Amino acid sequence: MELFNISLLFFITLWQSTLQHIFLNKFYGNYQKSLNIQNELHSAKYRYEIKTIDMPVDHFSFSVLNTFKLRYLINGTWQKTNNAPIFFYTGNEGNIETFAQNTGFMWDIAPEFGALLVFAEHRYYGESMPYNNKSYADLNHLGYLTSQQALADYVDLIQYLKSKPKYKNSPIIVFGGSYGGMLSAWIRIKYPHIVQGAIASSAPILQFTGITECESFLRIVTSDFKKAHSNCPKLIRKSWNIIMNITSTNEGKKWLSDNWKLCQPLKNENDIEQLISYLQDIYTNLAMVNYPYKANFLAPLPAYPINAVCKHLTNESLTGIELLIAIKNAINIFTNYTSETKCLNLNNSTPQLDAIGWSFQACTEMVMPICSDGINDMFKPHTWNLDEYSNDCIKQYSVKPQPNLICEKYGCKDLSTATNIVFSNGLMDPWSSGGVLRNLSSSAIAIIIPESAHHLDLRSSNPNDPFSVVLARKYHRFFIKKWINEYHEIKK
C-alpha cells in the first residue's frame, strides 16, 4: 500500500499503563494529521464511489434494534464480466478513504484480475458512527465497538453485494494490513462460507497474553537500530539515565527544554515521563516505517530512516550533554525532516475520535502486552502489569480488559483448521513478534519477508522495493488466482 496504517498501526504498544494512553493519543493525533495530508496527495490517483448501507448496531441481539449508516467505497473500473472477483478491504482503525488511497497493491492487481474493489469502513471510525456525535458519549453508546461486530458488518455488506445478480457467484478475497490484517484473517476463519481467501499482512493475531512474550516487540525494534549501527541502540539505552539525571534539577530541565526546542518547558515528573514516552514512540514508529524509499507515513522521512537516525549515534564514547545533543539531532529525522517544525510538542495528546476508538478497543479485547527489560532491548525497563493496566481502563472507560477474549473467539494456540490465508510478515516489523511465522495448514501459509517493515507488501510497487517484497507479492497473486479458480470449480 502506498502509505498505510498502523493503526497500527496500529496499535498498542506501551510499557506502563499510564504511558500507554499518552502514547496512543499522541500517536494517532500525528497519524491522522499525516494521513489527511496523504489523502489529498493520492485523491487524484485513486477514484471511488462513496456509499452507505444500513447496519444493526448490535448484530447479536434481538432487543437492540438501532441501525446506523456504514460507509464503504467501491470502484468497478476493471470489472469485465458478471461474477467478477470482489477484492474487499477489511477497514481498520481510521477513515476508510485513508486505506483506499494507501493500499496500492489492491489497485495494482485489480486490472489483472478484472476485480471489483470494495473498501469497508470500520464502525466507530471515519464517518461510520452508530450514534453520530454521541457514539463516544458513554459505555452504553460505545460498547458496540468490537471486532466481532465489525466482522458481522463486513459479512452483511458482502451478502448485500452478492444479492445483486451480477455478483451472485463472485469470489470474495479480503485484504488487510495491521489490525485490518487481523480482521481479514479472522473473517476467513470465522466465516469461511462467505470469504474465499485472505491476504493478512503484518497481522499480529498472536500478540496476546500467554501466546507471545511481551519482550519480543521491543527487541525487534532494537534489532532494527542495531542493524543500522551496532552503537546506535547502546547510546539510546544509555540516554535514559542521562535524561533522568539532567532533568532532576530545574537548571537541567531548562537546558533540555531550550536545547531540544520543546514547545512547552519541562516542569515536573509527569513532563519527564511524557518526554520518555515521546522518544519511545518515535523509535517504535521508525521501526514500523523503515521503508526503502522516501515516504510520508506518520511523518515525511528519507529512505531507511533508521539509518539516517543512527548516523548521529555511532560514537560509543558519547555521554552527558553531548549524547543528548546527538539524540536531539537523531530524532529530528522523524520530527523535523522537512525543517518546518518550529518546536517539539510533547503534549500533542488531544484525543481524536480515532484515538479514543482504538484506546477503548485496547481496554476491552485488544489487550496486547508489551514490555522491556532494558538489557536485551534499548528501552527504559518497564514490566507488563495487567492490574495497573486494568485499573487505568476502569478509570477511563469503566471497563475491565478481557485479555483472553480474542484467543477464545478466534483461536491462538490451535489454528490448524484455518485455510486459504496468506500471513505475510516483514522481519524488520516489530509487529512480526505476534505474527504467524509458520504454515498453519496446507493452505494457511506464512510468508516471511526479511527486508520488509510494516505491511510493505501492501503498498504500491516501487522501483526500490527489495526482492523479497516483490516475491511476496507474486505469492499473493498466485494464491489469489488459486482461490478464485477453486471457487469457480465448486460453482460449476
Side-chain angles (χ1 to χ4, degrees), residues 8 28 205 378 420 475:
L8 176 150
Y28 280 99
I205 65 170
M378 65 185 192
N420 289 14
Y475 276 109

Side-chain angles (χ1 to χ4, degrees), residues 33 37 296 300 332 335-344:
K33 180 180 178 182
I37 295 171
N296 192 31
N332 273 352
T335 61
N336 199 20
Y337 183 62
T338 59
S339 300
E340 296 177 356
T341 302
K342 295 180 180 179
C343 61
L344 298 185

Side-chain angles (χ1 to χ4, degrees), residues 351-410:
Q352 300 181 21
L353 290 183
D354 283 347
I356 295 173
W358 184 259
S359 184
F360 177 79
Q361 288 190 263
C363 273
T364 52
E365 57 178 356
M366 301 299 293
V367 183
M368 308 173 81
I370 292 176
C371 61
S372 59
D373 62 13
I375 299 171
N376 296 295
D377 57 66
M378 65 185 192
F379 292 86
K380 199 169 183 289
H382 291 294
T383 58
W384 170 258
N385 188 313
L386 180 59
D387 290 336
E388 289 184 9
Y389 186 88
S390 297
N391 290 337
D392 196 43
C393 290
I394 291 169
K395 290 178 183 177
Q396 187 167 1
Y397 294 112
S398 300
V399 295
K400 185 175 182 179
Q402 298 186 41
N404 301 315
L405 183 60
I406 288 295
C407 292
E408 291 172 357
K409 292 293 183 182
Y410 307 117

